[in-house]
Amino acid sequence: QVLLVESGGGLVQAGGSLTLSCAASGSTFSINAMAWYRQAPGKERELVAIITDGGSINYADSVKGRFTISRDNGKNTVYLQMNSLKSEDTAVYYCNARRFDYFESWGRGTQVTVSS
């Protein structure tokens, strides 16, 4: 079992920066990938960024060059550094962890609101 808790959401002006954190606890040794998803009102949840146990990283096209996903050495915390934020980034951001057996865990989400 993996428990995920997001933090760092809030209100930020367009063009500003914000960093989200996701703390993982429990069977963290079983995690082979962690990711950030987001869901805007009326839209489907979408993958924002993912980082694998081997260090491979992928970003959604909409955030490439602006967002950076990273993970600490112990793989207990994953971060999402968001720069040059724009109103379209407004959404609830969710942390996701995938285990080697493909089971997934989700955080409760943290609201990010970007004002224009």
Side-chain angles (χ1 to χ4, degrees):
Q1 59 281 353
V2 178
L3 300 178
L4 304 174
V5 180
E6 303 101 333
S7 63
L11 177 64
V12 63
Q13 292 184 333
S17 299
L18 201 64
T19 299
L20 305 181
S21 299
C22 174
S25 62
S27 302
T28 57
F29 59 87
S30 67
I31 298 173
N32 71 346
M34 297 190 72
W36 287 96
Y37 287 75
R38 69 184 182 186
Q39 186 167 23
K43 296 185 177 181
E44 295 183 337
R45 187 172 300 185
E46 64 175 347
L47 176 66
V48 176
I50 184 169
I51 183 168
T52 70
D53 189 57
S56 297
I57 296 174
N58 287 288
Y59 296 98
D61 289 340
S62 59
V63 306
K64 286 182 178 178
R66 300 188 299 118
F67 291 10
T68 302
I69 188 171
S70 62
R71 188 169 60 192
D72 70 2
N73 292 330
K75 301 179 181 179
N76 294 321
T77 304
V78 64
Y79 305 93
L80 184 67
Q81 182 178 325
M82 304 181 292
N83 299 322
S84 302
L85 285 163
K86 46 190 177 183
S87 59
E88 299 87 85
D89 296 317
T90 296
V92 177
Y93 284 71
Y94 298 91
C95 182
N96 169 269
R98 186 181 69 204
R99 309 194 317 191
F100 288 100
D101 59 7
Y102 302 107
F103 280 99
E104 294 186 345
S105 298
W106 293 89
R108 296 178 63 186
T110 184
Q111 177 70 49
V112 173
T113 302
V114 183
S115 61
S116 59

